[in-house]
Amino acid sequence: MFKHTKLVYYIIIPLILILSGGGVVFASTDSLPDSPLYPIKVKIVEPIEGAILVSKKSKAEYQSNLAEKRLIEAEILASRGKLSKDNEEKINNLLAKHTEELNNTISAAAKSEIDDVDTIITDFRAKMSAHAKVLDTINDNGDSKDQNIEIEKEIDKVKISNAARVGAEKVS
């Protein structure tokens, strides 16, 4: 009887842990920088997803998509009025990281390993430019609502859009 009870604990407890852990991972996929699940998304889930990619082309496209995700997150937060300095710093750091990894992947790969290098670079630059314009538009709309914005806040608002533009130019 005692061995049977032990066996149940060895099966049920790990099963509960796996299921609850899977739920946290699933819940973190749509989290934003102001969420407590965001570090799980960017420090665990995304690196694991990137590690299982085999080809240089898929890794380059993945890094490009991650950079675009960061800008979309910034747009969502800005439109909600929740783009704080802390959130902006998180996004800028991750955006720089994704841009650097994209550039490293493209640089390390021979032309034969990535057939569409120019297409990946062009698409990346277009995405960064488009999202930077969206962020600028969101920030301009916020300015018209509140005319008492300090100069320091104005500078902070364009950091992410400028980081996107600079990052796009770094990829070669």
Side-chain angles (χ1 to χ4, degrees):
M1 174 95 170
F2 183 68
K3 288 182 182 181
H4 182 64
T5 306
K6 263 185 160 178
L7 181 62
V8 170
Y9 286 119
Y10 287 134
I11 293 173
I12 292 177
I13 292 175
L15 186 61
I16 290 171
L17 291 174
I18 289 170
L19 292 175
S20 65
V24 169
V25 168
F26 181 74
S28 73
T29 57
D30 291 330
S31 64
L32 294 171
D34 61 347
S35 168
L37 296 176
Y38 193 72
I40 293 170
K41 174 183 170 180
V42 298
K43 293 182 181 178
I44 297 172
V45 176
E46 291 176 350
I48 290 173
E49 287 175 350
I52 62 174
L53 298 173
V54 178
S55 73
K56 297 283 186 188
K57 179 181 178 183
S58 61
K59 288 183 182 199
E61 289 171 341
Y62 183 69
Q63 289 303 322
S64 176
N65 290 335
L66 288 178
E68 183 180 21
K69 274 185 183 181
R70 299 297 88 90
L71 291 176
I72 291 169
E73 292 166 355
E75 291 168 8
I76 292 168
L77 289 173
S79 68
R80 294 178 182 172
K82 295 182 177 180
L83 189 58
S84 66
K85 283 188 177 191
D86 186 43
N87 290 336
E88 189 172 349
E89 188 176 322
K90 285 179 194 175
I91 292 171
N92 277 339
N93 290 338
L94 288 168
L95 185 60
K97 176 185 167 197
H98 299 316
T99 303
E100 182 180 334
E101 289 179 12
L102 172 63
N103 203 25
N104 291 342
T105 301
I106 289 172
S107 297
K111 287 279 187 183
S112 61
E113 292 177 346
I114 302 180
D115 297 330
D116 306 325
V117 172
D118 293 333
T119 304
I120 292 171
I121 292 170
T122 302
D123 288 347
F124 177 75
R125 288 180 176 165
K127 289 176 187 178
M128 295 299 103
S129 178
H131 287 289
K133 287 178 183 178
V134 170
L135 277 168
D136 287 342
T137 302
I138 291 170
N139 289 332
D140 288 344
N141 288 341
D143 289 350
S144 63
K145 293 177 185 174
D146 184 8
Q147 297 298 323
N148 297 324
I149 295 177
E150 301 168 17
I151 293 174
E152 185 178 319
K153 289 182 182 177
E154 288 292 321
I155 293 169
D156 288 341
K157 284 184 176 182
V158 296
K159 280 184 183 176
I160 292 176
S161 55
N162 286 340
R165 289 184 182 98
V166 170
E169 294 303 316
K170 285 183 181 179
V171 174
S172 55

